[in-house]
Amino acid sequence: MSWEEHFNRWNQFDQLDIKLQEQLTDLYNDEEKLKEAFHQYLTFGTGGMRGIIGPGTNRMNIYTVRKAAKGLATYLEEQGSGFKYRGVVVAYDSRYMSLDFALETAKVLGKHDIPTYIFSSLRPTPVLSFAVRHLGTAAGVMITASHNPPEYNGYKVYNEAGGQLPPGQADDLIEKVNAVEDELSIPVLEQHELEDEDLLRWIDDRVDEAYLDELENVALNRDVVKEQADNLNIVFTSLHGTANELMQTGLKEAGFNQVHVVEEQAEPDPEFSTVASPNPEEHQAFELAIRKGFDVGADVLVATDPDADRLGVAALNGEGEYQVLTGNQLGALMLDYILTHQSEIPDNAVMIKTIVTSELGKAVANDYGIETMNVLTGFKFIGEKIEEFSQTGEREFVFGYEESYGYLVKDFSRDKDALQSTVLASEMAAYYKSQGKTLFDALGELYERHGYYLEDLHSIKLEGLDGAEQINSIMEDFRENPVDSVEDLSVEAVEDYKAGTRTYVVSGEEESIDLPASNVVKFILSEGCWCCLRPSGTEPKIKFYFGVKGKTREEAESRLQQLKGSVLKRIDTQIIS
């Protein structure tokens, strides 16, 4: 259908939700906005769907949510007799319409006799991941748009192992969702019918209590926490999201007595009114935490994103200023701390990271004789490996992380978990304080031992159909005309994850990459340097990742500048032309 046909179908639907009809009426005289709202169906991809809230087939609303839930119901019904009766657990964050979308999911699933468990109030994503396995449900749904702007919401589906769907399962579900032809006519049960038939079951704090019991096992050095309990000052902010109450309880139970909450950001707020972006990757999100930190003399500042799967940490640097650690830096510090404080490291232990995450983690793992496993970008691939290990027993998971501020310490969750990470980061801060050090002092020691690893990320936003074509053109150009050298760095290998091949430049030898196909190209350069290109899976962007190593910080900084400058100069030329 054309966008006009989709619009007319909605506009002529006499049972259209009243609020959506009013919003649609407001758009009557704005053809460009109508076209954007109706020119396609909101994409349901491997990570679920995410979009702007409002009327239209390309928007998040009760009808596009019903379409996703209908596809999920069909998917569960085809998994075998009785599978669907285990039900689906649903959690939601602080965004607009989150509870409404959770209830719409239950209304559709209930029509298929699939029971739905919904939390009675908002919960973090890692608690949803935990709840799937704890309750033994067939699947889970998290209503969240993570750290996107306030006008967005989203829909993520989890499998029975508590992880986001890996490619095979995701493809099957996507097919079922796309097969739903008319989102407006999907039959539903009303909330009172669901409750009368025991198809809607509200979850209180019993899952929280079980999760908090597991959270206590994150601790590695209780003695140092006890010693520093009254000395270590922690500033915590949930950035108007889901983590505040659980995180305060978790830190208290872990033994931390001096936790100072950023009160202006403690209450859930769908507008995220005190920050430009509720994203701990963005340093501006720490402004109020930094102010609080100086007021209370904090040793460490911690910030979770709205659904509490990502964690940002800031600590005092050598100039006495609070500086935010990168995801690569914090992940390497966590890994080193875990391996240093484990009483016994299993022979089959493995650390998992993504292909765009710093090689510093691998250097740390090598130092302890631990295998490093690389997976594609996306924490679902880490969760998939953890489940595989739990089934086969051939590997022992010790830690997993990605550069975009996602970490997993213990596998009772199967997605990145900022609550676990906050407890571990706080314990690390206590340990290093007991030695008269900060987290930045510890990072400096890591660099001295393993070399100076620096990374950077550059994103280019290219919207619309023209933008999508430009992104594809850039990717194909780099495939056909690979990077060959940058200053004194030569390219040693080209990894094309779409073709599944690694080609060594000098010998021409080619070998297979044992990972799912993905539109990613990575160039491995000499001296431990690399760069990688990949289109974003959730936004109209192409991302450029850069990683370098140097014997000194100055050498690493110089190489990073050269590598980034060389690649982006080529990109500027392509976009201008």
Side-chain angles (χ1 to χ4, degrees):
M1 289 187 183
S2 66
W3 73 264
E4 293 97 339
E5 289 172 315
H6 279 306
F7 163 68
N8 289 331
R9 185 166 57 87
W10 274 57
N11 196 40
Q12 294 166 12
F13 184 56
D14 57 10
Q15 297 178 51
L16 193 70
D17 176 80
I18 294 174
K19 288 183 179 179
L20 288 173
Q21 182 62 68
E22 291 173 352
Q23 292 170 339
L24 196 59
T25 302
D26 291 340
L27 296 178
Y28 280 179
N29 297 319
D30 194 328
E31 182 174 312
E32 194 61 35
K33 287 185 178 179
L34 281 175
K35 183 177 180 180
E36 180 59 32
F38 286 99
H39 80 278
Q40 64 177 17
Y41 280 108
L42 186 62
T43 302
F44 194 100
T46 57
M49 65 181 184
R50 188 180 300 178
I52 295 171
I53 300 168
T57 56
N58 191 36
R59 294 288 184 259
M60 284 290 297
N61 51 63
I62 64 172
Y63 301 109
T64 51
V65 166
R66 286 178 182 177
K67 180 177 178 177
K70 173 69 174 178
L72 175 60
T74 306
Y75 171 82
L76 294 176
E77 287 175 331
E78 292 188 2
Q79 298 309 302
S81 177
F83 187 74
K84 71 175 187 178
Y85 297 114
R86 290 165 54 185
V88 176
V89 57
V90 182
Y92 54 93
D93 70 4
S94 55
R95 290 178 176 275
Y96 290 115
M97 300 292 293
S98 283
L99 175 57
D100 302 81
F101 293 158
L103 285 169
E104 290 300 330
T105 299
K107 291 177 182 180
V108 174
L109 295 177
K111 194 68 177 178
H112 291 255
D113 293 322
I114 301 173
T116 303
Y117 301 81
I118 301 182
F119 284 93
S120 55
S121 59
L122 50 79
R123 290 298 190 283
T125 288
V127 174
L128 181 278
S129 172
F130 170 79
V132 173
R133 295 171 66 235
H134 181 71
L135 298 174
T137 60
V141 172
M142 184 70 202
I143 309 295
T144 180
S146 189
H147 51 266
N148 275 63
E151 61 269 23
Y152 281 76
N153 211 327
Y155 197 96
K156 294 197 294 188
V157 178
Y158 289 74
N159 62 18
E160 62 177 326
Q164 292 188 56
L165 303 185
Q169 294 176 345
D171 290 345
D172 196 2
L173 175 59
I174 291 167
E175 182 182 338
K176 303 295 186 297
V177 173
N178 291 341
V180 179
E181 294 183 352
D182 184 3
E183 70 284 355
L184 299 177
S185 63
I186 295 170
V188 298
L189 295 179
E190 294 305 316
Q191 182 175 337
H192 68 87
E193 296 177 294
L194 294 169
E195 291 173 333
D196 289 345
E197 297 180 30
D198 196 31
L199 289 169
L200 173 55
R201 305 165 189 178
W202 294 97
I203 305 173
D204 53 22
D205 58 3
R206 67 187 187 276
V207 172
D208 300 343
E209 292 168 358
Y211 177 88
L212 288 167
D213 286 343
E214 292 286 358
L215 194 62
E216 289 187 25
N217 297 323
V218 171
L220 293 170
N221 191 336
R222 296 181 189 276
D223 289 339
V224 79
V225 173
K226 186 175 181 181
E227 174 193 321
Q228 297 293 324
D230 295 321
N231 298 324
L232 184 79
N233 279 301
I234 302 167
V235 166
F236 171 72
T237 175
S238 61
L239 298 180
H240 302 294
T242 60
N244 186 44
E245 290 185 14
L246 267 178
M247 198 68 264
Q248 286 195 63
T249 302
L251 287 170
K252 183 177 180 181
E253 291 183 356
F256 298 100
N257 296 335
Q258 300 298 321
V259 179
H260 309 271
V261 175
V262 179
E263 296 295 344
E264 301 96 320
Q265 298 172 333
E267 291 301 313
D269 173 11
E271 281 296 318
F272 311 113
S273 53
T274 67
V275 291
S277 170
N279 183 357
E281 295 182 65
E282 303 289 343
H283 294 189
Q284 56 78 30
F286 276 87
E287 287 180 4
L288 290 178
I290 288 172
R291 190 184 308 169
K292 185 89 170 182
F294 282 121
D295 287 344
V296 303
D299 300 285
V300 64
L301 319 177
V302 290
T304 56
D305 71 342
D307 66 320
D309 60 352
R310 286 180 168 87
L311 172 72
V313 169
L316 290 169
N317 61 20
E319 286 73 48
E321 300 291 330
Y322 289 108
Q323 182 177 337
V324 181
L325 290 154
T326 69
N328 285 312
Q329 291 169 338
L330 182 58
L333 279 170
M334 285 181 169
L335 176 63
D336 183 71
Y337 184 81
I338 289 169
L339 297 178
T340 300
H341 288 82
Q342 276 199 344
S343 56
E344 184 178 349
I345 300 174
D347 292 336
N348 62 347
V350 62
M351 181 274 286
I352 313 174
K353 70 176 189 67
T354 69
I355 60 173
V356 296
T357 299
S358 171
E359 292 301 302
L360 177 57
K362 183 177 181 180
V364 170
N366 287 345
D367 202 32
Y368 291 89
I370 300 298
E371 178 187 351
T372 296
M373 180 173 290
N374 283 303
V375 296
L376 293 175
T377 307
F379 220 90
K380 60 179 173 285
F381 296 108
I382 295 177
E384 180 185 26
K385 285 298 178 184
I386 293 171
E387 177 60 17
E388 180 184 312
F389 300 157
S390 73
Q391 297 294 328
T392 65
E394 42 181 66
R395 294 285 190 280
E396 186 79 22
F397 171 77
V398 294
F399 186 62
Y401 76 114
E402 59 184 4
E403 50 78 34
S404 56
Y405 288 59
Y407 324 92
L408 186 61
V409 185
K410 298 287 186 180
D411 66 0
F412 58 85
S413 301
R414 296 295 174 84
D415 203 353
K416 48 188 177 287
D417 189 332
L419 307 181
Q420 290 189 39
S421 306
T422 295
V423 171
L424 185 66
S426 301
E427 184 181 311
M428 282 199 310
Y431 173 75
Y432 289 115
K433 184 169 185 177
S434 72
Q435 298 182 341
K437 302 173 184 176
T438 69
L439 291 178
F440 272 97
D441 293 330
L443 179 64
E445 292 176 357
L446 269 191
Y447 286 147
E448 287 295 321
R449 279 161 45 197
H450 302 291
Y452 284 81
Y453 289 81
L454 297 179
E455 297 79 30
D456 203 357
L457 168 65
H458 184 83
S459 298
I460 299 175
K461 194 170 188 177
L462 297 167
E463 297 180 299
L465 293 176
D466 288 344
E469 290 176 3
Q470 277 188 299
I471 290 172
N472 288 332
S473 176
I474 291 168
M475 292 300 298
E476 289 311 306
D477 179 65
F478 273 83
R479 283 191 169 93
E480 295 172 8
N481 305 288
V483 174
D484 53 8
S485 66
V486 177
E487 299 292 332
D488 60 337
L489 302 174
S490 60
V491 175
E492 297 180 343
V494 179
E495 297 178 342
D496 185 343
Y497 290 84
K498 187 175 182 180
T501 58
R502 179 183 297 109
T503 305
Y504 294 94
V505 173
V506 174
S507 67
E509 180 184 351
E510 186 175 284
E511 63 185 25
S512 297
I513 297 174
D514 188 22
L515 289 173
S518 183
N519 190 16
V520 179
V521 179
K522 186 174 183 179
F523 301 96
I524 311 299
L525 290 89
S526 57
E527 305 299 331
C529 303
W530 56 272
C531 65
C532 183
L533 290 73
R534 62 175 284 268
S536 170
T538 57
E539 301 172 276
K541 292 180 178 179
I542 182 168
K543 295 186 175 185
F544 301 83
Y545 301 82
F546 305 94
V548 299
K549 178 186 177 184
K551 295 183 179 67
T552 64
R553 174 175 290 277
E554 291 73 21
E555 183 178 50
E557 287 175 346
S558 175
R559 284 177 172 168
L560 183 59
Q561 184 178 2
Q562 290 171 359
L563 178 57
K564 185 176 178 181
S566 175
V567 172
L568 295 185
K569 182 179 180 181
R570 174 173 165 177
I571 293 300
D572 288 342
T573 302
Q574 286 182 272
I575 292 176
I576 291 171
S577 62

